[in-house]
Amino acid sequence: MLNRVTIRVVSLLCVFAAAGSASAQVGLETTYPYTGMIKGTSVRVRPLPGDPSGANKYYYCAVLDRPAKVTVVGERNGWLAVLPPEGCYNVVLQSVVQVDSTGTKGTITKREAARAAGTARNANFVVAQSWLKPGDTVEIIGTAVDRFKFYKIKAPPKVYFWIHAPLVV
């Protein structure tokens, strides 16, 4: 006959086994970073992750088609964090950047948001992906104008874009 301790141990083992099975299904055993390939056409690259259903209230910055490759660095709620793919960048207000003599580097002079942008989003930049502080340096890759003047910059370190996980293999 089983005693209470044995029953609890067996119950815990069942819980751990189920948790291990669930973690395998969501990819927790994956080692990051890895190279993923876009599975379809017109896959939207977002500035922030959405919910697990694939819904996303955030605008998209770029569109990728198969067989484009992305570097996946993490996962959250069914969305993959990727290094900025082709066509994605950030913008900062020109008024807070001291540009060097080459015109390709700048130093931030006031706290400023690095806003998400890209080939599919070249105005109305509202999603702040990172905050830059005075003294931070940025790589300038162009200019953009909506109602304000912006520098297009290479995405700062630890700024990622997001793709719904089922769209990457």
Side-chain angles (χ1 to χ4, degrees):
M1 184 151 181
L2 298 174
N3 63 28
R4 286 185 181 177
V5 172
T6 304
I7 292 171
R8 285 187 178 167
V9 168
V10 170
S11 297
L12 283 174
L13 289 173
C14 289
V15 168
F16 289 137
S21 170
S23 69
Q25 291 171 3
V26 296
L28 292 180
E29 78 286 352
T30 302
T31 302
Y32 299 107
Y34 70 88
T35 300
M37 184 177 69
I38 300 299
K39 285 174 39 173
T41 58
S42 300
V43 173
R44 294 176 174 183
V45 181
R46 310 275 183 172
L48 293 171
D51 66 41
S53 73
N56 198 311
K57 64 183 178 182
Y58 301 108
Y59 58 80
Y60 57 99
C61 298
V63 176
L64 299 175
D65 293 313
R66 178 190 197 181
K69 292 193 173 21
V70 292
T71 301
V72 180
V73 295
E75 183 271 340
R76 184 186 318 155
N77 292 330
W79 289 81
L80 298 177
V82 299
L83 294 180
E86 186 70 30
C88 291
Y89 52 87
N90 289 105
V91 295
V92 293
L93 288 170
Q94 288 184 10
S95 61
V96 301
V97 180
Q98 178 67 47
V99 181
D100 74 1
S101 60
T102 68
T104 61
K105 300 276 186 210
T107 302
I108 300 297
T109 60
K110 287 174 54 173
R111 183 170 147 82
E112 168 64 7
R115 298 176 177 115
T119 53
R121 182 67 169 208
N122 53 23
N124 300 319
F125 313 111
V126 295
V127 176
Q129 290 184 296
S130 175
W131 284 93
L132 302 171
K133 61 186 182 314
D136 286 346
T137 58
V138 294
E139 183 179 334
I140 298 169
I141 57 175
T143 59
V145 177
D146 60 2
R147 61 179 204 223
F148 300 103
K149 293 180 181 179
F150 292 93
Y151 284 119
K152 295 178 184 178
I153 62 167
K154 182 178 173 188
K158 298 186 181 177
V159 167
Y160 308 116
F161 288 81
W162 297 82
I163 300 173
H164 194 221
L167 303 174
V168 178
V169 67

